[in-house]
Amino acid sequence: MTVTLGEAAHPIPYYVLGETTNEQWRAMLAASASPYAQLESGRVFLTVTRKTALKHVGASQDELLKTYDALSEAEDAIGGVGNNAAGAVPSSPLRQQIVEYRANGSANAGDHRVAWPTNWSSEALLTAKGLNTSWGMWHEMGHQRQMAKWSWDAMQELTVNIYALAADRRLPGTQNEHATPEEWQNALAYLSLPYTQRDWDDAGGDEMQGSEYHFGRFTMLEQLRLLFGDAFYHRLHAVSRPTTPQAAGSNAARKRLFMVQASKAAGRDLTGYFTAWGLRPDSGTRQGIAALKLPKAPTDWSRIAVYSQGQQLANAATGQCLTAGAPRGAVTLAPCRTTATQQWSLTAASGGTQQLVNSASRQCLAVPNASARPGTGLLQMPCGRGADRQWRLGTTSDGQSHHELLSNPVDLINAVVPSEPCFGSLGQERSNPVSQSGVRLLPGE
């Protein structure tokens, strides 16, 4: 095939990551009469007006494109794309298309492109600094990865933020308008509504965006990641991909698929948990989850704080709270008070485990020297990747424990110890709890 370009054709300014220099880019923009310019990275094609490109000609284009690639990779990874997770699929060889388009519209995304209005923030489109804090761009990029099979109408503008929040985590230290303490408080307000009013699908607003509790309810999706790790979403995407579009065609079918497959991905019966969040599982959903024959997740897991919000960790037998002392010092049980030394937040670690971070010291609950010996006193230490600072939630066989998180009996089991010790009050036996000042490992049941 031969293609002949007429006299009207002329090149546009074109920047390629790793090949074009900023000086060449400035020269192309200055010499060109084209109304458009384009940039290319390993994962993204970015098409903008020449006018907007000139506005940010002094910014580093390499830094911008590397940021787009990092965000794209992070959003792929949480969906089990292009990573080493079980059931993962390869990344697409096609680049994501992001275009500047007409003013006075809204940012939007379809299968073919992400569109960013001319009158919106050009810094978010064309500078690394602006992109680093642009939830709107992360959100729209996420729409192109969203699992439509379990995004029913009331969930469509919520599940997309699974990917936006993955982008946020890839950029530590940045701040944006979402994933904030205020949104966790909004979630608590929603969870405190009478059950008759706590209906996920009937809270008003177009696709939930106008709902008073829109971003408050999104915290459920982050809560699931916190409880079960990034691998929860890797598994949820993997088990959902084989479902045909016809099998998930209706809102009811997509909602059922989400709750059943989420239970499967978590390895827990989440019926009560989803009921607490107002998802109102129907009989088909309940039967589908029951057929998995999984241990039931505690309903009160809906109250586990997200976004690094601290909570008290109280011993169920004594009513006393886990308390941090001096940095690298022992943790103790003490009468519960309103103090940062008794506030602990769960942070997702690896393999579905969590770290417990103290709000006062910003250090993690740890087993010294990775000791597996029952009776070892626990410490707070700088947070790191070691399994001695990783814990997982679990219930005892009889549903009882001497440890309590948010009034729900749970064990906190250290990841480093093969026999799965839990922690308890110093000097106590499980059968005869006695209030003491220290905290130690106890043999798991």
Side-chain angles (χ1 to χ4, degrees):
M1 177 186 294
T2 301
V3 177
T4 302
L5 301 179
E7 293 182 359
H10 53 84
I12 66 171
Y14 196 88
Y15 189 103
V16 180
L17 175 63
E19 296 182 16
T20 312
T21 66
N22 279 2
E23 290 75 16
Q24 291 170 329
W25 178 241
R26 285 194 288 269
M28 284 188 281
L29 288 172
S32 177
S34 169
Y36 302 108
Q38 194 166 51
L39 301 94
E40 174 191 341
S41 71
R43 286 176 164 265
V44 167
F45 278 127
L46 183 59
T47 305
V48 299
T49 63
R50 177 173 167 270
K51 180 179 178 181
T52 300
L54 282 168
K55 185 176 179 181
H56 299 289
V57 70
S60 168
Q61 311 309 315
D62 272 11
E63 187 179 351
L64 169 69
L65 292 172
K66 287 176 182 178
T67 303
Y68 270 114
D69 282 358
L71 297 176
S72 174
E73 182 181 350
E75 294 197 353
D76 273 1
I78 194 65
V81 175
N83 61 17
N84 296 321
V89 296
S91 293
S92 171
L94 302 178
R95 289 171 175 83
Q96 193 167 12
Q97 303 280 344
I98 301 173
V99 302
E100 179 184 357
Y101 88 131
R102 68 180 185 276
N104 303 318
S106 295
N108 61 86
D111 291 340
H112 59 300
R113 57 94 181 102
V114 169
W116 193 258
T118 291
N119 61 321
W120 283 34
S121 169
S122 59
E123 287 81 5
L125 182 68
L126 267 179
T127 72
K129 181 179 179 181
L131 182 59
N132 277 341
T133 57
S134 178
W135 181 275
M137 183 63 79
W138 310 343
H139 174 100
E140 297 304 333
M141 291 174 69
H143 270 305
Q144 294 194 312
R145 296 164 170 84
Q146 191 171 14
M147 181 61 76
K149 295 172 184 176
W150 35 257
S151 297
W152 66 99
D153 287 352
M155 199 64 128
Q156 198 163 14
E157 289 298 324
L158 291 173
T159 55
V160 61
N161 291 325
I162 294 168
Y163 314 94
L165 205 53
D168 188 29
R169 291 191 298 274
R170 181 59 65 92
L171 302 168
T174 62
Q175 292 184 336
N176 64 79
E177 66 267 38
H178 296 302
T180 62
E182 291 75 20
E183 288 177 358
W184 171 240
Q185 293 303 314
N186 183 266
L188 288 177
Y190 168 74
L191 289 166
S192 298
L193 292 172
Y195 184 70
T196 55
Q197 299 176 35
R198 203 182 330 136
D199 186 341
W200 191 279
D201 295 349
D202 187 27
D206 179 20
E207 291 184 337
M208 305 288 290
Q209 291 192 83
S211 167
E212 178 184 356
Y213 303 107
H214 176 68
F215 278 99
R217 273 180 291 186
F218 168 68
T219 59
M220 181 192 76
L221 298 171
E222 173 62 4
Q223 208 171 53
L224 288 168
R225 188 194 69 86
L226 184 64
L227 286 165
F228 304 111
D230 286 6
F232 168 80
Y233 282 113
H234 303 162
R235 293 190 295 267
L236 181 56
H237 284 77
V239 297
S240 302
R241 285 190 183 103
T243 304
T244 64
Q246 293 78 16
S250 68
N251 272 323
R254 283 178 283 173
K255 187 176 181 181
R256 185 177 305 120
L257 178 70
F258 171 75
M259 287 189 272
V260 174
Q261 300 292 33
S263 292
K264 187 174 183 179
R268 292 296 185 107
D269 182 332
L270 297 175
T271 305
Y273 174 82
F274 288 135
T275 300
W277 271 102
L279 269 71
R280 302 173 183 264
D282 61 16
S283 59
T285 303
R286 292 175 180 273
Q287 291 169 11
I289 295 175
L292 298 174
K293 300 185 184 304
L294 299 169
K296 292 184 180 297
T299 301
D300 275 2
W301 279 5
S302 63
R303 298 279 180 154
I304 292 176
V306 297
Y307 309 142
S308 299
Q309 295 307 289
Q311 294 170 285
Q312 290 177 325
L313 189 63
N315 182 278
T318 67
Q320 294 193 329
C321 284
L322 191 68
T323 306
R328 293 182 180 270
V331 294
T332 61
L333 290 178
C336 297
R337 306 182 302 275
T338 305
T339 173
T341 60
Q342 292 185 344
Q343 297 290 316
W344 300 83
S345 59
L346 290 176
T347 301
S350 61
T353 63
Q354 292 84 28
Q355 291 183 325
L356 283 100
V357 185
N358 185 261
S359 296
S361 67
R362 306 309 304 167
Q363 294 194 339
C364 284
L365 185 69
V367 180
N369 302 316
S371 172
R373 182 174 61 84
T376 299
L378 302 186
L379 303 173
Q380 54 170 334
M381 299 178 68
C383 297
R385 295 180 180 272
D388 57 337
R389 280 153 247 203
Q390 295 175 11
W391 303 82
R392 65 180 174 85
L393 301 179
T395 53
T396 56
S397 57
D398 59 359
Q400 299 297 316
S401 171
H402 294 157
H403 317 99
E404 192 170 76
L405 182 65
L406 301 171
S407 77
N408 178 67
V410 300
D411 277 333
L412 281 160
I413 302 168
N414 187 258
V416 77
V417 186
S419 57
E420 298 189 337
C422 308
F423 71 74
S425 299
L426 183 64
Q428 74 180 39
E429 298 296 333
R430 279 182 179 263
S431 59
N432 184 29
V434 179
S435 174
Q436 298 288 342
S437 59
V439 177
R440 65 169 187 170
L441 287 178
L442 293 176
E445 295 180 351

